[in-house]
Amino acid sequence: MTKQLLFKSLLSLSLIGAASTAQAKEMTLNAVSFTPRTAVVSHGFKEFVTAINEKFDGELEINWRGGPEVMPPFRLADAVRNGSIDMALTSPSYYSGLVPSATASNLSFKTYEEIAETDYLERMTQVHAERGLHFLGEIPASPVKFFLFFKNEVTGIDDLEGKRIRVFPTILPFVESLGAEPLVMPMGEIYTAMERGVIDGFAQSNLGWVDQFENVVNYYITPRFYRAGFNVLVNPEAWAELPEGLRERVQTYLREDLAPRIDQSWEETIATAQTQMEDAGFQEVKLTGDAADEYLNTAIEAAWQHLAEDVDPELHAELKSMLVD
């Protein structure tokens, strides 16, 4: 081979390498969240997007396009599956019709690290793949739990009989078991429904909204129940376009490094929310002793019994052993 031909060959290889590098830098996944970008509860996803974009700078960019103003929250999982968007952050209960077992992650009092020590993440990856979704992992918020809030006075479990309570699907069986009437509606409709008397109360965490609800909430029940956690779903075709090594590194980084840190990062946010409830004058209805035990046991058992109606018995037993037992 002449020097000229050798030079041309090396130049061609250099150009191909440069083109490959340029192509790698162009990898982008467009994401939509079920919560607004500015919502306090979006804290974990904001941390995720920032960390991924910094860690994999030059290889992958998550383009967080927004929240409900971009797409209705209950449509996100289907939109990911059909390729309308590449990635979504969503509540497990918001796509329980598509992946019924997804809601199991909330039905626990364990931390993310305790759950990650089991085969839960791998098992949910398999389950989601069967439904045309890639389960990248969880944006955990285990310390964030849920309350029942009311405008009019309640003194205990017996007062909940017949109350109309807004829920998201995961909490529906629990509220129903308390003798109340559960109504599923998006978070953005809660205030108006309370103001107009459409509902008597609602199930929710206490993050980011308390100061705006002072005139429609006066009471809340403890102990708190369940754990919060939000799933990152990716369109399988969009995911497959990333180099295999990059896919493995991104998923491992989220599940083994980033998620545990996010799970431990909620302390200040929770403390602020508690202070806001106190400043707003919300009165705690504290169940104790047998009443508290009954309340929490009902929360777990009612939900898992309901889940058994929609999930294969073997999978149900597997998940319960990982999340509860």
PDB file of all heavy atoms in Angstrom, residues 32-62:
ATOM      1  N   VAL A  32     -41.322  13.105  30.119  1.00  0.00           N
ATOM      2  CA  VAL A  32     -42.439  13.855  30.688  1.00  0.00           C
ATOM      3  C   VAL A  32     -42.736  13.259  32.059  1.00  0.00           C
ATOM      4  O   VAL A  32     -42.696  12.038  32.234  1.00  0.00           O
ATOM      5  CB  VAL A  32     -43.696  13.782  29.799  1.00  0.00           C
ATOM      6  CG1 VAL A  32     -44.856  14.557  30.437  1.00  0.00           C
ATOM      7  CG2 VAL A  32     -43.409  14.332  28.400  1.00  0.00           C
ATOM      8  N   SER A  33     -43.028  14.110  33.032  1.00  0.00           N
ATOM      9  CA  SER A  33     -43.334  13.647  34.391  1.00  0.00           C
ATOM     10  C   SER A  33     -44.814  13.811  34.692  1.00  0.00           C
ATOM     11  O   SER A  33     -45.497  14.654  34.105  1.00  0.00           O
ATOM     12  CB  SER A  33     -42.506  14.434  35.419  1.00  0.00           C
ATOM     13  OG  SER A  33     -42.762  15.821  35.308  1.00  0.00           O
ATOM     14  N   PHE A  34     -45.309  13.011  35.630  1.00  0.00           N
ATOM     15  CA  PHE A  34     -46.717  13.118  36.002  1.00  0.00           C
ATOM     16  C   PHE A  34     -46.973  14.297  36.930  1.00  0.00           C
ATOM     17  O   PHE A  34     -48.120  14.667  37.182  1.00  0.00           O
ATOM     18  CB  PHE A  34     -47.195  11.808  36.653  1.00  0.00           C
ATOM     19  CG  PHE A  34     -46.786  11.612  38.086  1.00  0.00           C
ATOM     20  CD1 PHE A  34     -47.717  11.690  39.112  1.00  0.00           C
ATOM     21  CD2 PHE A  34     -45.467  11.318  38.426  1.00  0.00           C
ATOM     22  CE1 PHE A  34     -47.350  11.502  40.436  1.00  0.00           C
ATOM     23  CE2 PHE A  34     -45.088  11.114  39.732  1.00  0.00           C
ATOM     24  CZ  PHE A  34     -46.030  11.213  40.749  1.00  0.00           C
ATOM     25  N   THR A  35     -45.908  14.895  37.437  1.00  0.00           N
ATOM     26  CA  THR A  35     -46.010  16.078  38.277  1.00  0.00           C
ATOM     27  C   THR A  35     -45.382  17.273  37.566  1.00  0.00           C
ATOM     28  O   THR A  35     -44.484  17.116  36.741  1.00  0.00           O
ATOM     29  CB  THR A  35     -45.270  15.856  39.600  1.00  0.00           C
ATOM     30  OG1 THR A  35     -43.923  15.429  39.316  1.00  0.00           O
ATOM     31  CG2 THR A  35     -45.951  14.791  40.437  1.00  0.00           C
ATOM     32  N   PRO A  36     -45.826  18.499  37.881  1.00  0.00           N
ATOM     33  CA  PRO A  36     -45.197  19.685  37.289  1.00  0.00           C
ATOM     34  C   PRO A  36     -43.725  19.780  37.671  1.00  0.00           C
ATOM     35  O   PRO A  36     -43.327  19.322  38.748  1.00  0.00           O
ATOM     36  CB  PRO A  36     -46.006  20.849  37.888  1.00  0.00           C
ATOM     37  CG  PRO A  36     -47.305  20.247  38.311  1.00  0.00           C
ATOM     38  CD  PRO A  36     -46.982  18.841  38.733  1.00  0.00           C
ATOM     39  N   ARG A  37     -42.948  20.386  36.805  1.00  0.00           N
ATOM     40  CA  ARG A  37     -41.514  20.537  37.081  1.00  0.00           C
ATOM     41  C   ARG A  37     -41.257  21.249  38.404  1.00  0.00           C
ATOM     42  O   ARG A  37     -40.298  20.960  39.108  1.00  0.00           O
ATOM     43  CB  ARG A  37     -40.843  21.325  35.953  1.00  0.00           C
ATOM     44  CG  ARG A  37     -40.788  20.602  34.624  1.00  0.00           C
ATOM     45  CD  ARG A  37     -40.227  21.521  33.540  1.00  0.00           C
ATOM     46  NE  ARG A  37     -38.849  21.878  33.811  1.00  0.00           N
ATOM     47  CZ  ARG A  37     -37.787  21.345  33.176  1.00  0.00           C
ATOM     48  NH1 ARG A  37     -37.971  20.437  32.236  1.00  0.00           N
ATOM     49  NH2 ARG A  37     -36.578  21.716  33.470  1.00  0.00           N
ATOM     50  N   THR A  38     -42.133  22.239  38.743  1.00  0.00           N
ATOM     51  CA  THR A  38     -41.913  23.053  39.937  1.00  0.00           C
ATOM     52  C   THR A  38     -42.489  22.426  41.204  1.00  0.00           C
ATOM     53  O   THR A  38     -42.288  22.960  42.294  1.00  0.00           O
ATOM     54  CB  THR A  38     -42.549  24.438  39.746  1.00  0.00           C
ATOM     55  OG1 THR A  38     -43.944  24.283  39.428  1.00  0.00           O
ATOM     56  CG2 THR A  38     -41.860  25.193  38.610  1.00  0.00           C
ATOM     57  N   ALA A  39     -43.201  21.305  41.096  1.00  0.00           N
ATOM     58  CA  ALA A  39     -43.810  20.682  42.271  1.00  0.00           C
ATOM     59  C   ALA A  39     -42.743  20.131  43.199  1.00  0.00           C
ATOM     60  O   ALA A  39     -41.717  19.604  42.753  1.00  0.00           O
ATOM     61  CB  ALA A  39     -44.762  19.576  41.838  1.00  0.00           C
ATOM     62  N   VAL A  40     -42.984  20.240  44.506  1.00  0.00           N
ATOM     63  CA  VAL A  40     -42.033  19.732  45.484  1.00  0.00           C
ATOM     64  C   VAL A  40     -41.798  18.237  45.291  1.00  0.00           C
ATOM     65  O   VAL A  40     -40.677  17.741  45.425  1.00  0.00           O
ATOM     66  CB  VAL A  40     -42.531  20.024  46.919  1.00  0.00           C
ATOM     67  CG1 VAL A  40     -41.626  19.355  47.950  1.00  0.00           C
ATOM     68  CG2 VAL A  40     -42.590  21.521  47.170  1.00  0.00           C
ATOM     69  N   VAL A  41     -42.849  17.512  44.947  1.00  0.00           N
ATOM     70  CA  VAL A  41     -42.736  16.068  44.801  1.00  0.00           C
ATOM     71  C   VAL A  41     -41.892  15.677  43.582  1.00  0.00           C
ATOM     72  O   VAL A  41     -41.486  14.528  43.448  1.00  0.00           O
ATOM     73  CB  VAL A  41     -44.144  15.426  44.731  1.00  0.00           C
ATOM     74  CG1 VAL A  41     -44.781  15.647  43.361  1.00  0.00           C
ATOM     75  CG2 VAL A  41     -44.108  13.958  45.107  1.00  0.00           C
ATOM     76  N   SER A  42     -41.590  16.640  42.708  1.00  0.00           N
ATOM     77  CA  SER A  42     -40.710  16.384  41.562  1.00  0.00           C
ATOM     78  C   SER A  42     -39.235  16.400  41.945  1.00  0.00           C
ATOM     79  O   SER A  42     -38.369  16.194  41.089  1.00  0.00           O
ATOM     80  CB  SER A  42     -40.956  17.425  40.465  1.00  0.00           C
ATOM     81  OG  SER A  42     -42.261  17.348  39.956  1.00  0.00           O
ATOM     82  N   HIS A  43     -38.952  16.646  43.211  1.00  0.00           N
ATOM     83  CA  HIS A  43     -37.566  16.745  43.699  1.00  0.00           C
ATOM     84  C   HIS A  43     -36.698  15.581  43.230  1.00  0.00           C
ATOM     85  O   HIS A  43     -35.594  15.775  42.704  1.00  0.00           O
ATOM     86  CB  HIS A  43     -37.575  16.822  45.229  1.00  0.00           C
ATOM     87  CG  HIS A  43     -36.324  16.349  45.887  1.00  0.00           C
ATOM     88  ND1 HIS A  43     -35.161  17.098  45.907  1.00  0.00           N
ATOM     89  CD2 HIS A  43     -36.031  15.192  46.544  1.00  0.00           C
ATOM     90  CE1 HIS A  43     -34.221  16.424  46.547  1.00  0.00           C
ATOM     91  NE2 HIS A  43     -34.714  15.264  46.943  1.00  0.00           N
ATOM     92  N   GLY A  44     -37.193  14.357  43.403  1.00  0.00           N
ATOM     93  CA  GLY A  44     -36.379  13.191  43.069  1.00  0.00           C
ATOM     94  C   GLY A  44     -36.076  13.088  41.590  1.00  0.00           C
ATOM     95  O   GLY A  44     -34.955  12.731  41.195  1.00  0.00           O
ATOM     96  N   PHE A  45     -37.069  13.400  40.749  1.00  0.00           N
ATOM     97  CA  PHE A  45     -36.851  13.308  39.303  1.00  0.00           C
ATOM     98  C   PHE A  45     -35.903  14.409  38.837  1.00  0.00           C
ATOM     99  O   PHE A  45     -35.088  14.183  37.936  1.00  0.00           O
ATOM    100  CB  PHE A  45     -38.180  13.406  38.552  1.00  0.00           C
ATOM    101  CG  PHE A  45     -38.083  13.003  37.109  1.00  0.00           C
ATOM    102  CD1 PHE A  45     -37.665  11.735  36.744  1.00  0.00           C
ATOM    103  CD2 PHE A  45     -38.420  13.895  36.094  1.00  0.00           C
ATOM    104  CE1 PHE A  45     -37.570  11.353  35.407  1.00  0.00           C
ATOM    105  CE2 PHE A  45     -38.331  13.530  34.763  1.00  0.00           C
ATOM    106  CZ  PHE A  45     -37.906  12.250  34.417  1.00  0.00           C
ATOM    107  N   LYS A  46     -36.000  15.570  39.456  1.00  0.00           N
ATOM    108  CA  LYS A  46     -35.056  16.642  39.128  1.00  0.00           C
ATOM    109  C   LYS A  46     -33.633  16.206  39.426  1.00  0.00           C
ATOM    110  O   LYS A  46     -32.710  16.433  38.622  1.00  0.00           O
ATOM    111  CB  LYS A  46     -35.396  17.906  39.923  1.00  0.00           C
ATOM    112  CG  LYS A  46     -34.482  19.083  39.630  1.00  0.00           C
ATOM    113  CD  LYS A  46     -34.899  20.308  40.428  1.00  0.00           C
ATOM    114  CE  LYS A  46     -33.965  21.487  40.140  1.00  0.00           C
ATOM    115  NZ  LYS A  46     -34.352  22.698  40.927  1.00  0.00           N
ATOM    116  N   GLU A  47     -33.449  15.549  40.572  1.00  0.00           N
ATOM    117  CA  GLU A  47     -32.130  15.031  40.923  1.00  0.00           C
ATOM    118  C   GLU A  47     -31.662  13.991  39.911  1.00  0.00           C
ATOM    119  O   GLU A  47     -30.489  13.959  39.520  1.00  0.00           O
ATOM    120  CB  GLU A  47     -32.181  14.399  42.321  1.00  0.00           C
ATOM    121  CG  GLU A  47     -32.425  15.380  43.454  1.00  0.00           C
ATOM    122  CD  GLU A  47     -31.253  16.297  43.674  1.00  0.00           C
ATOM    123  OE1 GLU A  47     -30.113  15.800  43.706  1.00  0.00           O
ATOM    124  OE2 GLU A  47     -31.470  17.523  43.802  1.00  0.00           O
ATOM    125  N   PHE A  48     -32.576  13.146  39.485  1.00  0.00           N
ATOM    126  CA  PHE A  48     -32.266  12.100  38.507  1.00  0.00           C
ATOM    127  C   PHE A  48     -31.811  12.704  37.184  1.00  0.00           C
ATOM    128  O   PHE A  48     -30.759  12.328  36.636  1.00  0.00           O
ATOM    129  CB  PHE A  48     -33.500  11.221  38.304  1.00  0.00           C
ATOM    130  CG  PHE A  48     -33.471  10.379  37.054  1.00  0.00           C
ATOM    131  CD1 PHE A  48     -32.688   9.235  36.978  1.00  0.00           C
ATOM    132  CD2 PHE A  48     -34.248  10.724  35.953  1.00  0.00           C
ATOM    133  CE1 PHE A  48     -32.669   8.445  35.827  1.00  0.00           C
ATOM    134  CE2 PHE A  48     -34.237   9.948  34.797  1.00  0.00           C
ATOM    135  CZ  PHE A  48     -33.448   8.808  34.739  1.00  0.00           C
ATOM    136  N   VAL A  49     -32.590  13.634  36.644  1.00  0.00           N
ATOM    137  CA  VAL A  49     -32.264  14.240  35.349  1.00  0.00           C
ATOM    138  C   VAL A  49     -30.919  14.956  35.414  1.00  0.00           C
ATOM    139  O   VAL A  49     -30.063  14.792  34.528  1.00  0.00           O
ATOM    140  CB  VAL A  49     -33.379  15.209  34.906  1.00  0.00           C
ATOM    141  CG1 VAL A  49     -32.950  15.989  33.660  1.00  0.00           C
ATOM    142  CG2 VAL A  49     -34.677  14.445  34.631  1.00  0.00           C
ATOM    143  N   THR A  50     -30.718  15.735  36.467  1.00  0.00           N
ATOM    144  CA  THR A  50     -29.460  16.473  36.615  1.00  0.00           C
ATOM    145  C   THR A  50     -28.270  15.523  36.710  1.00  0.00           C
ATOM    146  O   THR A  50     -27.242  15.717  36.047  1.00  0.00           O
ATOM    147  CB  THR A  50     -29.513  17.360  37.860  1.00  0.00           C
ATOM    148  OG1 THR A  50     -30.590  18.303  37.743  1.00  0.00           O
ATOM    149  CG2 THR A  50     -28.209  18.122  38.049  1.00  0.00           C
ATOM    150  N   ALA A  51     -28.425  14.474  37.522  1.00  0.00           N
ATOM    151  CA  ALA A  51     -27.319  13.537  37.735  1.00  0.00           C
ATOM    152  C   ALA A  51     -26.992  12.747  36.470  1.00  0.00           C
ATOM    153  O   ALA A  51     -25.811  12.569  36.122  1.00  0.00           O
ATOM    154  CB  ALA A  51     -27.667  12.576  38.877  1.00  0.00           C
ATOM    155  N   ILE A  52     -28.012  12.285  35.753  1.00  0.00           N
ATOM    156  CA  ILE A  52     -27.771  11.529  34.518  1.00  0.00           C
ATOM    157  C   ILE A  52     -27.091  12.403  33.481  1.00  0.00           C
ATOM    158  O   ILE A  52     -26.116  11.990  32.820  1.00  0.00           O
ATOM    159  CB  ILE A  52     -29.095  10.966  33.961  1.00  0.00           C
ATOM    160  CG1 ILE A  52     -29.649   9.878  34.878  1.00  0.00           C
ATOM    161  CG2 ILE A  52     -28.893  10.420  32.546  1.00  0.00           C
ATOM    162  CD1 ILE A  52     -28.840   8.613  34.942  1.00  0.00           C
ATOM    163  N   ASN A  53     -27.572  13.624  33.332  1.00  0.00           N
ATOM    164  CA  ASN A  53     -26.993  14.514  32.320  1.00  0.00           C
ATOM    165  C   ASN A  53     -25.560  14.898  32.635  1.00  0.00           C
ATOM    166  O   ASN A  53     -24.754  15.126  31.724  1.00  0.00           O
ATOM    167  CB  ASN A  53     -27.872  15.759  32.160  1.00  0.00           C
ATOM    168  CG  ASN A  53     -29.181  15.463  31.452  1.00  0.00           C
ATOM    169  OD1 ASN A  53     -29.352  14.398  30.861  1.00  0.00           O
ATOM    170  ND2 ASN A  53     -30.113  16.396  31.507  1.00  0.00           N
ATOM    171  N   GLU A  54     -25.220  14.958  33.911  1.00  0.00           N
ATOM    172  CA  GLU A  54     -23.836  15.263  34.296  1.00  0.00           C
ATOM    173  C   GLU A  54     -22.953  14.018  34.184  1.00  0.00           C
ATOM    174  O   GLU A  54     -21.846  14.083  33.641  1.00  0.00           O
ATOM    175  CB  GLU A  54     -23.800  15.805  35.724  1.00  0.00           C
ATOM    176  CG  GLU A  54     -24.393  17.201  35.866  1.00  0.00           C
ATOM    177  CD  GLU A  54     -24.347  17.710  37.288  1.00  0.00           C
ATOM    178  OE1 GLU A  54     -23.919  16.936  38.197  1.00  0.00           O
ATOM    179  OE2 GLU A  54     -24.728  18.871  37.521  1.00  0.00           O
ATOM    180  N   LYS A  55     -23.455  12.902  34.668  1.00  0.00           N
ATOM    181  CA  LYS A  55     -22.670  11.664  34.686  1.00  0.00           C
ATOM    182  C   LYS A  55     -22.363  11.176  33.276  1.00  0.00           C
ATOM    183  O   LYS A  55     -21.253  10.688  33.006  1.00  0.00           O
ATOM    184  CB  LYS A  55     -23.452  10.592  35.451  1.00  0.00           C
ATOM    185  CG  LYS A  55     -22.800   9.213  35.507  1.00  0.00           C
ATOM    186  CD  LYS A  55     -21.665   9.156  36.490  1.00  0.00           C
ATOM    187  CE  LYS A  55     -21.168   7.736  36.666  1.00  0.00           C
ATOM    188  NZ  LYS A  55     -20.023   7.658  37.608  1.00  0.00           N
ATOM    189  N   PHE A  56     -23.334  11.315  32.374  1.00  0.00           N
ATOM    190  CA  PHE A  56     -23.181  10.773  31.023  1.00  0.00           C
ATOM    191  C   PHE A  56     -23.118  11.883  29.980  1.00  0.00           C
ATOM    192  O   PHE A  56     -23.567  11.707  28.846  1.00  0.00           O
ATOM    193  CB  PHE A  56     -24.324   9.792  30.732  1.00  0.00           C
ATOM    194  CG  PHE A  56     -24.360   8.638  31.696  1.00  0.00           C
ATOM    195  CD1 PHE A  56     -25.220   8.656  32.787  1.00  0.00           C
ATOM    196  CD2 PHE A  56     -23.506   7.558  31.546  1.00  0.00           C
ATOM    197  CE1 PHE A  56     -25.242   7.609  33.695  1.00  0.00           C
ATOM    198  CE2 PHE A  56     -23.515   6.505  32.450  1.00  0.00           C
ATOM    199  CZ  PHE A  56     -24.387   6.531  33.526  1.00  0.00           C
ATOM    200  N   ASP A  57     -22.557  13.005  30.391  1.00  0.00           N
ATOM    201  CA  ASP A  57     -22.376  14.138  29.477  1.00  0.00           C
ATOM    202  C   ASP A  57     -21.602  13.697  28.247  1.00  0.00           C
ATOM    203  O   ASP A  57     -20.544  13.064  28.350  1.00  0.00           O
ATOM    204  CB  ASP A  57     -21.618  15.255  30.205  1.00  0.00           C
ATOM    205  CG  ASP A  57     -21.450  16.491  29.350  1.00  0.00           C
ATOM    206  OD1 ASP A  57     -22.315  16.752  28.495  1.00  0.00           O
ATOM    207  OD2 ASP A  57     -20.438  17.200  29.532  1.00  0.00           O
ATOM    208  N   GLY A  58     -22.142  14.019  27.079  1.00  0.00           N
ATOM    209  CA  GLY A  58     -21.498  13.615  25.840  1.00  0.00           C
ATOM    210  C   GLY A  58     -21.984  12.290  25.308  1.00  0.00           C
ATOM    211  O   GLY A  58     -21.684  11.924  24.165  1.00  0.00           O
ATOM    212  N   GLU A  59     -22.749  11.543  26.122  1.00  0.00           N
ATOM    213  CA  GLU A  59     -23.284  10.256  25.683  1.00  0.00           C
ATOM    214  C   GLU A  59     -24.807  10.234  25.677  1.00  0.00           C
ATOM    215  O   GLU A  59     -25.434   9.698  24.767  1.00  0.00           O
ATOM    216  CB  GLU A  59     -22.802   9.140  26.622  1.00  0.00           C
ATOM    217  CG  GLU A  59     -21.309   8.917  26.629  1.00  0.00           C
ATOM    218  CD  GLU A  59     -20.943   7.788  27.566  1.00  0.00           C
ATOM    219  OE1 GLU A  59     -20.924   6.625  27.103  1.00  0.00           O
ATOM    220  OE2 GLU A  59     -20.681   8.044  28.758  1.00  0.00           O
ATOM    221  N   LEU A  60     -25.410  10.825  26.713  1.00  0.00           N
ATOM    222  CA  LEU A  60     -26.864  10.768  26.847  1.00  0.00           C
ATOM    223  C   LEU A  60     -27.372  12.034  27.512  1.00  0.00           C
ATOM    224  O   LEU A  60     -26.776  12.531  28.471  1.00  0.00           O
ATOM    225  CB  LEU A  60     -27.272   9.553  27.701  1.00  0.00           C
ATOM    226  CG  LEU A  60     -28.761   9.441  28.061  1.00  0.00           C
ATOM    227  CD1 LEU A  60     -29.601   9.229  26.805  1.00  0.00           C
ATOM    228  CD2 LEU A  60     -28.985   8.317  29.061  1.00  0.00           C
ATOM    229  N   GLU A  61     -28.482  12.541  26.992  1.00  0.00           N
ATOM    230  CA  GLU A  61     -29.150  13.685  27.609  1.00  0.00           C
ATOM    231  C   GLU A  61     -30.620  13.332  27.824  1.00  0.00           C
ATOM    232  O   GLU A  61     -31.294  12.862  26.916  1.00  0.00           O
ATOM    233  CB  GLU A  61     -29.060  14.936  26.741  1.00  0.00           C
ATOM    234  CG  GLU A  61     -29.781  16.124  27.362  1.00  0.00           C
ATOM    235  CD  GLU A  61     -29.785  17.350  26.460  1.00  0.00           C
ATOM    236  OE1 GLU A  61     -29.334  17.238  25.316  1.00  0.00           O
ATOM    237  OE2 GLU A  61     -30.274  18.403  26.918  1.00  0.00           O
ATOM    238  N   ILE A  62     -31.117  13.574  29.039  1.00  0.00           N
ATOM    239  CA  ILE A  62     -32.542  13.468  29.324  1.00  0.00           C
ATOM    240  C   ILE A  62     -33.135  14.860  29.131  1.00  0.00           C
ATOM    241  O   ILE A  62     -32.774  15.801  29.843  1.00  0.00           O
ATOM    242  CB  ILE A  62     -32.813  12.989  30.759  1.00  0.00           C
ATOM    243  CG1 ILE A  62     -32.064  11.684  31.057  1.00  0.00           C
ATOM    244  CG2 ILE A  62     -34.312  12.820  30.979  1.00  0.00           C
ATOM    245  CD1 ILE A  62     -32.479  10.516  30.211  1.00  0.00           C
TER     246      ILE A  62
END
